[in-house]
Amino acid sequence: MASNTEQVQEFTVSELLSGSGMYTIPVYQRNYAWEERQIRQLIKDIIDSLNNNNTKKYYIGTLIVDKTEVGNEKLLETIDGQQRLTTLNIISIVLKNHPDFKEIDTKWFERLNLSFSNRQKSEITLIDLFNDSIIEEARDYNSTITFAYDLVASILKEELKENSVALKEFTSYLFEYVTILRVEVPPQTDLNHYFEIMNNRGEQLEKHEVLKARLLDSFNLIEDKALAEDYKHVFHTVWEACANMEKYVQYGFPVNVRHKIFDENSWDNFHPKDFESLKKSFPQFNTQNEDAKSIDEIINDTRKNRENNDGNDEKPERFYSIINFSNFLLHVLRVFTKEDIPLDDKRLLSTFDNYIKSLETTDEKISFSKDFGFSLLKAKYLFDKFIIKRDTSKDREEWSLLKMKNSTQKKGRNSYTASYPNSFEDTSENKKLVQLLSMFHVSLPTMSYKHWLNASLNYVCDHPNTSAKEYANFLENTAKHFVFNRIVAKSPQEYYDLIYKPKNRNEIIWSDDNTSTIDKSKFSFGQITNNLLFNYLDYQLWKEELSKDKSISKIIDFKFTSRSSVEHYYPQNPKEGYPRLKDSSTLNCFGNLCLISHSKNSTLSNFSPLNKAEFYLKGEIDSIKQYLMIQNAKDWNESLILEHNAEILQLLKNTANGNQ
């Protein structure tokens, strides 16, 4: 353990969790709240660092504490960093107790040094997890912590397999190289004043703002300073219009410019062919005597001009994007270059730097900024039109696939009203696309894994006038190859190759002999690596129901939601009085599994199939597959499980072999 000052110390994870003293989470701190997105990102960050530099320390942030002495015990009241500290404890407890990780040596982890002030439920939950004495039927546990335990186990297995990292290699790096800085506030610190300072910290410069300044700087290489300023003005306006992912890009431009770029009558036609023609949509920017701006000046201008009220009467909170702007920039760079660009927004600056360094001449650097600026605008326009958003305009949030249209001009005012019709006139086709896109999104919620989004964006950039049927066919084909050439394939192909090298895709063969490209073991519990398998099946079942003369409304009205817990419909550990299923291969086969929310799985996991059915049928169904299983809940046994398993595998086999 290295010490910089008496108040600032550096700890590895094993040193932190095995050290003397007790970390306490004070009652004024919020409850533990990390969910799948944050937990997965932390684990993924550690694995990425391991792969990049497995002998170097990886700093995961700062832990700020207020040190006090109570009797002979040192108490460290956690002021900032409690979510990360609690998660590190949960990860270590999983590695200590979970049956899938018994090979890991955690003898150093002899005691918990984390407690919760006046939160008995959280305290008991963590202690029982640590002691491996969780009682399934108990109702006084903190469900967020127990969910996190299950999530960590599941995510660890997925991420280690996805990144070809051995468990022992990961744990060795986690415990010995992952490092956190612990900062002790000075004695007698006024904590109320400290919190006030923390809550009023200046806004940090975001990475995409730094990137914008670097790309703008290339225009300073142009000898004609008036032209350089014209370029900078256009690029700046485009960047800011695209940066607000929650709003349609048309709103980022003054009305007179919007009319020229997107068509005065519709706002739904993208006219520019390149950056030069885009510049012609802007009035001349008279800055001939203006000096090149510094990064600070650019950022300040950016923040002053974030809201363009000229013609803006859309409520900004109506739509929510499925990704952030930094991640979107990486998608655009990948589509623009067709190179295997990582989609991890933490690497935004280094990824762009590496690409820009490959540009040798001044003209190449200028051209890159111009071409990327144009590609960014085109991609954002197509993203808004062809990728789902969350629409909050109704009683509850819904997935939507809408385009923005110029509806009416308000009388006597230079202001216009937008309308949001479906992106495609055929309502049924538009709905199918919403199902396909939401199927992908809920299966792969982590932004750096949204390869489906990159595939979609690449397609619409190449086919901006696609029909609904063509787009749906593309998405169905993409899903098919993601499932059968990667998730359940004997020889999984990389996502980049599946998207950008379609001619190199392996032929899909599902047969009962050695010519089959499908690994049937990947359909059993513990071997399923991606929730897209479940959701792809639900989509096929939904589509099959559409073709029937008399369809079931619950299936037709099914919507994809964020579900990430695999349930055994016949329980693994049934409540007392209900028999166990003796054949583990049948218990764990695909026919007995479905995808539901973690909260429902935790609550009902040990109930009988009939008890589960009575609960699930009260509301909307979580899974079409589950709904079909529920129909036989009363007699759900080994025979029916195997029958259902054969039926759904045959459906997938027909899809894989192109017989549907």
Side-chain angles (χ1 to χ4, degrees):
M1 179 174 67
S3 174
N4 298 321
T5 71
E6 189 176 345
Q7 275 77 41
V8 181
Q9 293 179 298
E10 183 181 291
F11 294 85
T12 65
V13 169
S14 59
E15 289 172 339
L16 183 74
L17 302 188
S18 64
S20 61
M22 178 65 70
Y23 293 91
T24 64
I25 309 300
V27 71
Y28 56 75
Q29 293 276 23
R30 65 174 179 156
N31 277 313
Y32 181 69
W34 271 21
E35 297 178 342
E36 180 177 2
R37 178 174 59 84
Q38 296 98 327
I39 293 172
R40 186 180 293 277
Q41 193 64 61
L42 176 62
I43 291 172
K44 185 179 182 305
D45 289 348
I46 294 169
I47 291 174
D48 286 349
S49 180
L50 163 64
N51 285 333
N52 291 331
N53 47 22
N54 60 5
T55 60
K56 293 183 180 179
K57 294 177 182 177
Y58 173 54
Y59 291 90
I60 59 169
T62 304
L63 187 65
I64 300 175
V65 300
D66 182 29
K67 179 180 175 183
T68 58
E69 300 279 346
V70 177
N72 294 323
E73 186 174 23
K74 177 173 65 177
L75 292 183
L76 299 155
E77 187 173 284
T78 306
I79 298 171
D80 193 32
Q82 66 115 339
Q83 301 287 332
R84 185 173 283 103
L85 176 62
T86 305
T87 304
L88 288 173
N89 271 276
I90 293 170
I91 292 173
S92 300
I93 291 171
V94 167
L95 293 169
K96 173 179 178 288
N97 292 331
H98 196 280
D100 290 344
F101 307 114
K102 286 295 187 182
E103 63 188 273
I104 301 306
D105 182 6
T106 54
K107 291 177 182 177
W108 58 268
F109 195 29
E110 296 177 346
R111 61 180 277 271
L112 270 177
N113 62 359
L114 176 66
S115 66
F116 298 84
S117 299
N118 297 313
R119 286 194 181 133
Q120 189 176 15
K121 184 184 289 189
S122 298
E123 185 93 3
I124 291 171
T125 305
L126 204 64
I127 290 172
D128 282 4
L129 283 171
F130 181 83
N131 293 326
D132 201 14
S133 58
I134 281 285
I135 302 170
E136 295 287 351
E137 291 79 8
R139 290 290 177 267
D140 56 351
Y141 287 132
N142 180 317
S143 61
T144 308
I145 292 177
T146 57
F147 295 163
Y149 179 90
D150 293 336
L151 276 171
V152 166
S154 174
I155 292 168
L156 264 177
K157 287 184 283 187
E158 290 176 20
E159 293 292 338
L160 292 175
K161 190 168 186 176
E162 176 78 22
N163 292 278
S164 301
V165 172
L167 176 61
K168 287 186 177 180
E169 185 183 11
F170 170 80
T171 53
S172 175
Y173 187 75
L174 168 67
F175 296 144
E176 302 305 324
Y177 289 95
V178 174
T179 305
I180 195 165
L181 288 177
R182 191 183 76 189
V183 179
E184 295 177 16
V185 297
Q188 319 309 314
T189 297
D190 182 345
L191 292 183
N192 287 329
H193 179 60
Y194 182 82
F195 287 128
E196 184 179 338
I197 293 171
M198 286 180 64
N199 292 332
N200 290 284
R201 285 179 293 194
E203 184 182 359
Q204 286 187 323
L205 197 63
E206 292 195 49
K207 290 180 181 178
H208 64 77
E209 294 175 318
V210 176
L211 175 60
K212 173 192 170 186
R214 291 179 183 176
L215 294 175
L216 277 169
D217 193 50
S218 67
F219 295 127
N220 290 326
L221 300 171
I222 300 173
E223 293 183 6
D224 185 338
K225 297 306 176 186
L227 180 61
E229 294 305 324
D230 274 345
Y231 282 165
K232 285 197 282 188
H233 172 62
V234 173
F235 187 94
H236 163 81
T237 307
V238 165
W239 189 278
E240 290 307 303
C242 296
N244 191 337
M245 296 298 293
E246 265 60 60
K247 298 182 74 173
Y248 280 71
V249 71
Q250 290 92 327
Y251 269 128
F253 297 90
V255 170
N256 61 326
V257 177
R258 191 187 310 168
H259 286 340
K260 293 180 179 179
I261 297 175
F262 304 105
D263 195 293
E264 181 173 359
N265 296 319
S266 71
W267 293 350
D268 186 40
N269 291 311
F270 187 73
H271 291 306
K273 301 299 181 185
D274 52 28
F275 193 83
E276 290 295 338
S277 61
L278 173 64
K279 186 171 75 72
K280 293 177 182 177
S281 301
F282 287 73
Q284 187 172 3
F285 187 56
N286 186 18
T287 56
Q288 294 185 21
N289 298 318
E290 184 178 340
D291 293 331
K293 294 182 179 180
S294 68
I295 288 180
D296 286 342
E297 290 171 327
I298 291 167
I299 301 306
N300 286 333
D301 285 351
T302 293
R303 288 176 177 159
K304 289 176 184 176
N305 295 299
R306 283 223 192 270
E307 293 300 326
N308 183 338
N309 294 318
D310 188 5
N312 183 354
D313 54 7
E314 175 191 4
K315 292 182 179 180
E317 69 276 8
R318 174 174 175 177
F319 297 105
Y320 289 95
S321 172
I322 59 173
I323 57 168
N324 63 35
F325 182 53
S326 291
N327 194 253
F328 182 67
L329 288 166
L330 291 168
H331 279 281
V332 176
L333 183 63
R334 198 187 231 206
V335 170
F336 172 55
T337 63
K338 308 297 184 188
E339 293 186 11
D340 193 3
I341 300 294
L343 300 177
D344 185 353
D345 60 353
K346 298 187 307 304
R347 299 162 63 182
L348 176 69
L349 293 177
S350 62
T351 299
F352 270 84
D353 283 348
N354 289 337
Y355 187 82
I356 293 171
K357 284 176 184 175
S358 68
L359 305 175
E360 297 179 355
T361 67
T362 296
D363 287 344
E364 285 178 339
K365 293 176 182 178
I366 296 169
S367 294
F368 174 76
S369 290
K370 289 167 57 181
D371 293 342
F372 184 79
F374 172 76
S375 297
L376 177 63
L377 177 57
K378 179 182 177 182
K380 182 59 165 67
Y381 160 73
L382 295 170
F383 175 90
D384 289 341
K385 184 174 180 178
F386 293 120
I387 305 297
I388 54 169
K389 286 182 171 64
R390 294 296 275 179
D391 185 357
T392 64
S393 63
K394 301 177 183 178
D395 293 336
R396 62 176 184 173
E397 290 187 11
E398 295 280 1
W399 295 118
S400 67
L401 187 64
L402 308 173
K403 59 186 177 182
M404 187 179 124
K405 297 274 287 184
N406 179 4
S407 182
T408 58
Q409 180 177 2
K410 293 183 179 179
K411 189 174 182 180
R413 291 177 57 194
N414 185 27
S415 185
Y416 297 78
T417 301
S419 62
Y420 299 95
N422 286 337
S423 293
F424 297 97
E425 291 183 5
D426 188 322
T427 303
S428 62
E429 288 295 324
N430 205 80
K431 182 178 180 180
K432 180 192 286 189
L433 286 165
V434 169
Q435 289 287 71
L436 278 163
L437 293 164
S438 58
M439 171 198 73
F440 274 121
H441 174 62
V442 302
S443 303
L444 304 157
T446 306
M447 283 189 284
S448 55
Y449 287 159
K450 290 192 182 300
H451 297 284
W452 69 268
L453 173 58
N454 191 254
S456 305
L457 201 58
N458 184 57
Y459 173 79
V460 296
C461 283
D462 289 343
H463 305 86
N465 298 314
T466 182
S467 69
K469 288 186 177 180
E470 290 169 339
Y471 189 24
N473 287 339
F474 167 79
L475 292 174
E476 288 180 340
N477 198 42
T478 299
K480 176 179 175 178
H481 284 282
F482 278 16
V483 171
F484 299 117
N485 265 333
R486 183 172 176 88
I487 297 172
V488 297
K490 288 180 179 177
S491 301
Q493 291 188 272
E494 295 298 324
Y495 285 114
Y496 174 81
D497 292 336
L498 291 173
I499 296 167
Y500 289 93
K501 300 177 182 178
K503 292 182 180 179
N504 295 339
R505 290 171 178 167
N506 294 334
E507 181 185 2
I508 301 169
I509 303 172
W510 188 330
S511 63
D512 296 325
D513 55 34
N514 58 9
T515 65
S516 181
T517 61
I518 305 300
D519 184 348
K520 292 182 181 178
S521 70
K522 293 182 177 180
F523 287 94
S524 60
F525 183 73
Q527 300 301 312
I528 299 172
T529 60
N530 197 304
N531 289 340
L532 181 59
L533 178 61
F534 286 100
N535 288 321
Y536 181 72
L537 173 63
D538 273 348
Y539 173 76
Q540 296 301 329
L541 292 169
W542 176 81
K543 187 178 172 184
E544 188 178 60
E545 194 69 22
L546 283 179
S547 65
K548 296 179 180 178
D549 292 334
K550 293 183 179 180
S551 56
I552 300 170
S553 60
K554 270 188 176 288
I555 296 179
I556 295 299
D557 295 338
F558 171 75
K559 295 179 177 64
F560 287 102
T561 57
S562 297
R563 302 156 297 144
S564 55
S565 184
V566 178
E567 180 193 45
H568 287 75
Y569 193 56
Y570 195 107
Q572 291 175 288
N573 301 298
K575 283 181 172 292
E576 189 175 345
Y578 198 80
R580 285 179 177 270
L581 201 61
K582 294 180 181 179
D583 185 1
S584 61
S585 62
T586 301
L587 177 71
N588 292 320
C589 79
F590 199 41
N592 191 44
L593 307 176
C594 58
L595 201 60
I596 63 173
S597 69
H598 269 281
S599 59
K600 288 182 179 178
N601 201 359
S602 177
T603 303
L604 302 170
S605 61
N606 299 324
F607 283 65
S608 72
L610 188 58
N611 290 147
K612 291 178 181 180
E614 291 170 352
F615 176 85
Y616 289 127
L617 289 173
K618 291 177 182 177
E620 294 180 347
I621 59 177
D622 268 38
S623 158
I624 298 177
K625 183 182 187 302
Q626 180 200 48
Y627 180 77
L628 298 179
M629 297 157 75
I630 284 173
Q631 308 312 305
N632 294 302
K634 185 177 179 181
D635 303 311
W636 191 250
N637 54 26
E638 186 172 334
S639 175
L640 285 173
I641 290 172
L642 293 175
E643 182 181 327
H644 176 66
N645 190 65
E647 289 175 354
I648 59 174
L649 289 182
Q650 185 61 50
L651 173 61
L652 289 173
K653 183 177 182 180
N654 291 341
T655 308
N657 292 334
N659 299 324
Q660 189 187 51

